[in-house]
Amino acid sequence: MAAVAANPSATAEDPEPQREAVPGLESQWRQIENGESGRERPLRAGESWFLVEQHWYRQWEVYVQGGEQDSSTFPGCINNAKLFEDQINWCLKKGLVKGEDYVLLPSAAWHFLVGWYGLEQGQPPIECKVVELRGTQKVEVYPVELLLVQHSDMGTPHSAQFSQIDSIDLVLRTAREKFLVRPEKETRLWVKNSQGSFERLCNTRVTVLDAALKSGQLVVMEIRSKDGAWPSAQPQAGNNASKEDEDFQGQPGICGLTNLGNTCFMNSALQCLSNVPQLTEYFLKNRYLEELNFCNPLGMKGEIAEAYADLVKQAWSGNHRSIVPRVFKTKVGHFASQFLGYQQHDSQELLSFLLDGLHEDLNRIKKKEYVELCDAAGRPDHEVAQEAWQNHKRRNDSVIVDTFHGLFKSTLVCPDCGNVSVTFDPFCYLSVPLPVRHKRVMEVFFVSMDPRRKPEQHRLVVPQKGKISDLCVALAKHTGVSPERMMVADVFSHRFYKIYQLEESLSGILDRDDIFIYEVSGRSAICENSREDVVLPIYLRERTPARDYNNSYYGLMLFGHPLLVSVPRDRLSWDSLYHILLYRLSRYVTRPSLDDEDDGNEKANMAAKDSIPKPGHLAACSSQNLGPEQAGPSSGVPGGRRAPVNNSPGPSHWPPRARRKHLFTLQTVNSNGTSDRSNFNEDTHGVSSSSQPYIAIDWEPEMKKRYYNEVEAEGYVKHDCVGYVLKKAPVRLRECIELFTNMETLEKENPWFCPSCKQPQLATKKLDLWKLPETLIIHLKRFSYSRFSREKLDTLVEFPLRDLDFSEFVKAQNESASEVYKYDLIAVSNHYGGLRDGHYTAFACNKDSGQWHYFDDSTVLPVNENEIESKAAYVLFYQRQDVARRAQPQPDSSDPLAPPACGQPPNSEFMDVN
């Protein structure tokens, strides 16, 4: 490092006794200018060079080149006074130029001159270090002078000089020494940039040059508080502790996390991970500081690891009842945009991201080498497995790998040539499926053809992968109506969203859909000359006041439940249809008296006249022209065996309507229930206006108020089957693991390319466990997603708290150590509710006390062990028994200890949700 000597008197005082025998002038010239010790030799990084004042050196050159030792040109003692600002602090002048103000001499040449001529008394030597800057050797004349301050005392700077090749760690150690920081205290550095803001000096292994530090910059040292928080982070993290909580001292690790808004998924995952003993000890003992990887392109520059470490230190300080994880949430959103904002997410997805982020931030491999994956090719399994694990460790070596990574054995068999491919792949957690039940419970409303019967609500048990026909068969057992006389429809917003065909799958119906099953005549028309019945979709509309709500409705608004009405083909006249509909509505529509019919208003007559269908509106079409029904708000009635209005007669067959329709008028509409016939031309399903007439019953407000009973129209009864509950037998965790390791056939969307056949094959695949980690994470796949549906499986999975034995599943057996296959539960991430409005909590066993606690955001309660197993269990954390035991013995399962005032966790049936 370039600097003057710290103790000048030790090097310059009384130089005379140290003088060597002075060689001849020519010899002096050769030793100083040329040769191995001369100033013309190349620079070497790390060696010392010295500054000599230019005037003195030129005088020396004149002297030695003159050839007379007794000449008047004798230079005298080396005098560098012109290079110093003053002769008290001996600070080097700024802006000195090589060749004009000074010359540089290597250490040997400097010591020769001092030995021959001496150094002016009291002056220190000016020593400079040779540094390598971006591949170039350079003598560093001016070191970087930094101003060191404490975060708690920004007004008292201390000056310190550093070489550009000094590490930031040396700057930190120098600051700790200057400010007398105790060894157990944790510190970090900030630097004030040219914009006046402060930036973290995260990587202490980089040099002053790499950190772009300049002389005069302010470097702030910050000391972590006893509660685990950094003082600079307090405004961002929030001072959540009130005055009475400032001196709080509780059990380390028993600390809640504030819900920032739908962040319960994050809190649940963090509480589980925080209670993995070996990982938490790794952070509490600062072992992570030596392994932070700031140059990993796959990592997050160490920021995720540091943010998680700060969270762990606060939670395990024992000084907080709860903390606000805002800084951690911000970091996660910065590096994983899917977690930005405050939408609800999946705790297992957050856990997967966090484990991967921590691994890459703490990866001990700074430069990953290319590793070629090799197939077994007939070699013994243990040899291939060992090679696979070593290859994995050559690129991935971190505390996450040490704690959570295991090894799969994957076996693929080609169905054509029988080629067997065996590979070994690492895993971080097991995602095990739940046995899928083969039955499904669906709620429907049955609408009878008998107008006196109210709609009936039924709860039907149907095959999970059944068809619409299965739904009709199940309903027939309750009603006695033949499935051939049923039509199934999805009703949404007073119109038919979709009318199903019998061959369609039930997977297209969601649990939240309103499904109506209508009884229709069993004499549906198919052929053109058939004289059987046709089925008409019927909508109810009310004429609104003059104010127009929407142009497409022409002042008419839909209301009530639509109907599917069977009409004999020989009665397809407006007058007959009016009386048929009046009969079907007779339960909640009062028939007018004879006097009422005679006093019918003219407005109704005019509306009826306008409602006469135009040519082609109810025209016939062949059954084969009716394509399959597609989902959508404009869906029509499906074609096929019971197509509505199939082969209906043309308008010439419709007798003129009666001139008076006192209660309502009839109007042909499209599937949306609007009278705008131009919409029919935009039907994406190819159903023309002539083939799909929908009939609307239009009511005047006064007539509807007088004759239509809305309360009675909305009424329905519950069938006895509504009380039926499909019993769900509990599932053991062992069954899920067995299902995970079962052989399966690859799907068409994901074939395997057989190297022998040289083509994609639907091979059989089997996964086996080969090597298990210290901490095993088991993810229960409760959420089921398909093309048509999404559901959560709330099956109770029975899992042991102790002695979970994997010996029968692990293929690489170790006979001498049975404990390597046995695990004890240490944490559970819970999910309550459904897909849209779920809530996450956690159970965790404290590593110090052995006591189980329930974590519900900022609330923490002790719990008994018999409360941990529930239908909400989602992610399980197991610790291997051969790992170091907890400090406190676990409470006995037969008599779990819990303080009497701790309370119980909320019942899952009444869990509050976000």
Side-chain angles (χ1 to χ4, degrees):
M1 182 174 73
V4 297
N7 186 4
S9 62
T11 58
E13 187 176 352
D14 194 19
E16 295 296 333
Q18 302 177 7
R19 290 196 180 180
E20 302 174 0
V22 180
L25 298 180
E26 185 178 351
S27 177
Q28 290 184 41
W29 176 262
R30 286 195 307 269
Q31 293 184 59
I32 299 303
E33 286 290 332
N34 304 311
E36 180 62 27
S37 62
R39 71 187 187 97
E40 296 300 327
R41 73 173 183 78
L43 302 175
R44 299 185 183 94
E47 65 182 6
S48 296
W49 285 56
F50 291 82
L51 270 66
V52 177
E53 197 269 327
Q54 175 81 8
H55 177 75
W56 185 92
Y57 191 77
R58 294 300 176 219
Q59 183 69 24
W60 174 80
E61 286 184 326
V62 172
Y63 169 66
V64 297
Q65 290 175 0
E68 298 181 9
Q69 290 192 341
D70 298 328
S71 172
S72 60
T73 58
F74 182 75
C77 291
I78 301 173
N79 189 350
N80 290 332
K82 294 182 180 180
L83 302 180
F84 294 109
E85 290 278 4
D86 56 67
Q87 297 186 14
I88 300 175
N89 297 318
W90 302 103
C91 294
L92 207 61
K93 286 182 178 179
K94 303 296 183 183
L96 296 177
V97 179
K98 178 184 177 183
E100 295 181 8
D101 301 305
Y102 65 88
V103 295
L104 287 168
L105 296 178
S107 180
W110 164 260
H111 286 101
F112 284 146
L113 287 179
V114 172
W116 299 334
Y117 298 94
L119 182 61
E120 190 71 29
Q121 187 172 358
Q123 283 189 13
I126 307 174
E127 182 182 3
C128 305
K129 289 290 186 182
V130 177
V131 297
E132 183 176 353
L133 302 178
R134 312 191 194 287
T136 303
Q137 311 296 328
K138 176 184 176 183
V139 177
E140 188 177 41
V141 176
Y142 290 102
V144 178
E145 186 173 350
L146 301 176
L147 301 178
L148 306 178
V149 297
Q150 292 189 83
H151 184 269
S152 58
D153 184 13
M154 301 281 285
T156 310
H158 293 257
S159 177
Q161 292 183 337
F162 301 92
S163 169
Q164 292 187 77
I165 62 170
D166 287 337
S167 67
I168 300 299
D169 183 62
L170 178 61
V171 178
L172 179 58
R173 284 189 279 114
T174 303
R176 290 177 66 97
E177 291 173 4
K178 282 187 176 292
F179 299 121
L180 304 176
V181 179
R182 296 197 303 272
E184 68 273 11
K185 289 290 186 179
E186 189 176 347
T187 55
R188 64 181 183 180
L189 295 179
W190 298 78
V191 61
K192 188 176 183 179
N193 59 27
S194 57
Q195 286 77 34
S197 58
F198 289 88
E199 297 176 358
R200 273 283 315 283
L201 294 173
C202 300
N203 190 355
T204 59
R205 294 188 286 274
V206 301
T207 63
V208 171
L209 176 66
D210 293 332
L213 298 185
K214 306 297 182 184
S215 292
Q217 275 194 289
L218 191 68
V219 176
V220 182
M221 185 189 71
E222 184 181 17
I223 304 175
R224 192 189 290 273
S225 305
K226 69 172 185 177
D227 65 354
W230 293 104
S232 62
Q234 288 301 324
Q236 288 78 25
N239 293 319
N240 53 302
S242 59
K243 291 294 183 181
E244 58 269 20
D245 292 339
E246 288 183 357
D247 297 326
F248 173 76
Q249 186 62 46
Q251 171 72 42
I254 310 304
C255 177
L257 296 173
T258 301
N259 193 322
L260 304 175
N262 284 331
T263 58
C264 57
F265 73 96
M266 181 183 76
N267 295 345
S268 174
L270 287 174
Q271 293 290 9
C272 291
L273 203 59
S274 172
N275 282 277
V276 176
Q278 57 269 46
L279 184 63
T280 296
E281 287 296 319
Y282 171 84
F283 282 100
L284 292 180
K285 293 181 178 179
N286 290 334
R287 294 201 292 269
Y288 75 99
L289 293 175
E290 296 298 322
E291 298 182 349
L292 284 170
N293 191 334
F294 298 99
C295 57
N296 187 353
L298 300 178
M300 289 81 173
K301 301 179 181 178
E303 294 185 34
I304 287 293
E306 288 191 320
Y308 179 74
D310 290 346
L311 208 64
V312 169
K313 288 175 183 289
Q314 292 182 63
W316 288 85
S317 68
N319 296 113
H320 298 282
R321 287 185 173 89
S322 67
I323 56 179
V324 182
R326 193 179 306 278
V327 173
F328 180 83
K329 169 71 170 62
T330 303
K331 292 290 184 185
V332 169
H334 175 72
F335 290 106
S337 58
Q338 67 267 31
F339 297 114
L340 277 173
Y342 297 94
Q343 299 297 318
Q344 182 66 284
H345 293 281
D346 188 286
S347 67
Q348 188 271 334
E349 291 179 2
L350 187 278
L351 184 67
S352 176
F353 162 78
L354 182 55
L355 288 174
D356 184 63
L358 289 175
H359 160 64
E360 297 296 353
D361 274 0
L362 299 169
N363 199 343
R364 304 175 186 115
I365 307 299
K366 306 306 179 186
K367 186 177 181 180
K368 295 187 177 184
E369 57 181 305
Y370 173 74
V371 176
E372 185 175 355
L373 300 179
C374 299
D375 196 80
R379 293 179 294 163
D381 282 350
H382 69 274
E383 178 183 331
V384 182
Q386 185 177 6
E387 179 186 82
W389 183 250
Q390 289 174 350
N391 288 341
H392 178 60
K393 292 279 283 187
R394 284 164 62 186
R395 293 175 54 86
N396 304 278
D397 186 15
S398 69
V399 66
I400 302 300
V401 175
D402 299 340
T403 307
F404 299 102
H405 282 207
L407 205 62
F408 283 138
K409 176 187 176 183
S410 176
T411 306
L412 288 164
V413 180
C414 178
D416 287 352
C417 68
N419 178 44
V420 179
S421 172
V422 177
T423 57
F424 291 84
D425 305 301
F427 68 88
C428 190
Y429 50 84
L430 299 181
S431 288
V432 299
L434 272 63
V436 179
R437 61 179 184 266
H438 301 291
K439 296 292 183 179
R440 175 184 178 185
V441 176
M442 297 183 65
E443 289 189 359
V444 301
F445 290 90
F446 173 67
V447 181
S448 172
M449 290 181 64
D450 186 349
R452 296 168 298 179
R453 294 178 57 183
K454 292 183 178 181
E456 293 179 347
Q457 184 183 18
H458 290 257
R459 182 171 291 174
L460 308 175
V461 180
V462 294
Q464 183 73 25
K465 298 182 179 181
K467 298 181 179 181
I468 297 295
S469 57
D470 296 315
L471 187 65
C472 296
V473 170
L475 181 62
K477 296 177 181 178
H478 295 177
T479 61
V481 177
S482 170
E484 300 295 322
R485 300 180 60 188
M486 295 181 186
M487 292 189 71
V488 181
D490 182 353
V491 175
F492 177 74
S493 189
H494 313 293
R495 58 174 64 88
F496 290 115
Y497 182 81
K498 181 174 182 177
I499 302 178
Y500 292 94
Q501 299 184 61
L502 294 178
E503 296 76 18
E504 289 190 74
S505 173
L506 290 175
S507 61
I509 299 179
L510 307 182
D511 291 338
R512 64 175 182 268
D513 292 341
D514 292 325
I515 302 301
F516 284 71
I517 300 181
Y518 296 87
E519 180 186 5
V520 295
S521 170
R523 304 174 298 159
S524 300
I526 297 179
C527 60
E528 185 172 345
N529 299 322
S530 172
R531 300 182 58 82
E532 305 297 336
D533 296 354
V534 294
V535 179
L536 294 177
I538 306 297
Y539 290 155
L540 299 173
R541 301 192 303 181
E542 178 181 7
R543 192 175 302 278
T544 60
R547 182 163 58 99
D548 190 4
Y549 287 87
N550 188 311
N551 290 335
S552 64
Y553 284 98
Y554 293 94
L556 291 163
M557 299 294 290
L558 292 169
F559 71 93
H561 298 301
L563 294 171
L564 290 177
V565 177
S566 298
V567 180
R569 187 173 297 277
D570 55 4
R571 296 186 60 190
L572 276 179
S573 66
W574 287 113
D575 187 60
S576 298
L577 183 58
Y578 171 81
H579 289 287
I580 291 174
L581 295 178
L582 192 63
Y583 171 72
R584 285 296 301 270
L585 303 177
S586 60
R587 181 171 57 85
Y588 45 91
V589 172
T590 306
R591 280 182 176 272
S593 63
L594 185 61
D595 294 337
D596 290 335
E597 288 207 14
D598 292 338
D599 296 336
N601 59 65
E602 293 299 323
K603 185 176 182 180
N605 291 339
M606 293 300 296
K609 188 176 298 182
D610 294 338
S611 300
I612 297 176
K614 305 300 185 292
H617 283 191
L618 291 173
C621 77
S622 62
S623 61
Q624 51 265 39
N625 290 335
L626 295 174
E629 179 63 19
Q630 303 292 332
S634 61
S635 299
V637 184
R641 189 166 44 81
R642 287 203 308 267
V645 207
N646 195 22
N647 304 316
S648 57
S652 59
H653 296 268
W654 286 61
R657 287 181 294 174
R659 287 178 297 173
R660 294 181 186 271
K661 295 291 185 289
H662 296 284
L663 299 189
F664 49 78
T665 60
L666 301 179
Q667 173 74 42
T668 54
V669 293
N670 60 20
S671 59
N672 282 327
T674 64
S675 301
D676 185 3
R677 302 300 293 176
S678 62
N679 287 351
F680 273 58
N681 298 328
E682 301 173 2
D683 195 302
T684 59
H685 305 297
V687 181
S688 65
S689 61
S690 61
S691 64
Q692 294 295 316
Y694 284 64
I695 305 298
I697 299 176
D698 293 341
W699 291 83
E700 293 290 338
E702 289 298 324
M703 301 296 285
K704 176 175 177 288
K705 182 178 179 181
R706 182 175 178 182
Y707 295 104
Y708 187 89
N709 188 334
E710 291 193 35
V711 176
E712 183 65 26
E714 296 294 327
Y716 68 94
V717 295
K718 292 184 178 182
H719 190 268
D720 293 341
C721 65
V722 173
Y724 173 81
V725 177
L726 183 63
K727 294 183 179 180
K728 301 176 184 178
V731 174
R732 294 182 302 159
L733 181 59
R734 180 177 299 274
E735 297 177 51
C736 300
I737 300 171
E738 289 174 350
L739 194 60
F740 175 79
T741 56
N742 281 349
M743 184 179 295
E744 61 178 358
T745 302
L746 298 180
E747 299 177 350
K748 293 182 179 179
E749 296 79 9
N750 187 29
W752 170 63
F753 186 84
C754 177
S756 178
C757 300
K758 303 299 182 182
Q759 61 182 356
Q761 297 285 359
L762 300 182
T764 59
K765 180 179 180 180
K766 188 177 190 307
L767 285 177
D768 291 304
L769 302 176
W770 186 268
K771 176 181 174 8
L772 296 180
E774 292 181 356
T775 299
L776 180 61
I777 302 176
I778 302 177
H779 165 224
L780 304 177
K781 297 172 71 173
R782 290 195 176 276
F783 299 107
S784 173
Y785 301 95
S786 67
R787 180 181 176 185
F788 299 104
S789 65
R790 300 171 61 194
E791 64 173 334
K792 179 192 173 184
L793 305 175
D794 57 354
T795 307
L796 174 63
V797 177
E798 297 177 342
F799 50 88
L801 270 64
R802 295 180 184 84
D803 298 325
L804 175 61
D805 193 351
F806 277 89
S807 57
E808 66 178 279
F809 298 105
V810 178
K811 295 303 178 181
Q813 292 292 331
N814 186 348
E815 301 295 340
S816 61
S818 59
E819 280 191 336
V820 298
Y821 308 120
K822 290 187 177 180
Y823 286 79
D824 295 333
L825 188 71
I826 57 173
V828 181
S829 175
N830 302 308
H831 179 268
Y832 298 92
L835 289 169
R836 295 185 174 185
D837 52 0
H839 182 64
Y840 290 90
T841 66
F843 291 112
C845 182
N846 187 274
K847 68 181 182 65
D848 297 330
S849 66
Q851 171 67 50
W852 282 88
H853 288 81
Y854 177 74
F855 296 86
D856 184 0
D857 291 332
S858 56
T859 301
V860 184
L861 298 172
V863 293
N864 297 325
E865 290 186 352
N866 56 11
E867 298 175 79
I868 297 169
E869 185 182 277
S870 72
K871 294 190 294 184
Y874 182 45
V875 183
L876 310 176
F877 288 70
Y878 278 93
Q879 187 179 42
R880 209 168 61 196
Q881 289 184 350
D882 66 322
V883 177
R885 297 293 183 176
R886 304 180 181 94
Q888 296 288 338
Q890 294 191 32
D892 184 73
S893 59
S894 62
D895 186 23
L897 300 177
C902 69
Q904 307 296 330
N907 188 291
S908 60
E909 299 298 328
F910 303 97
M911 175 61 63
D912 291 335
V913 295
N914 289 339

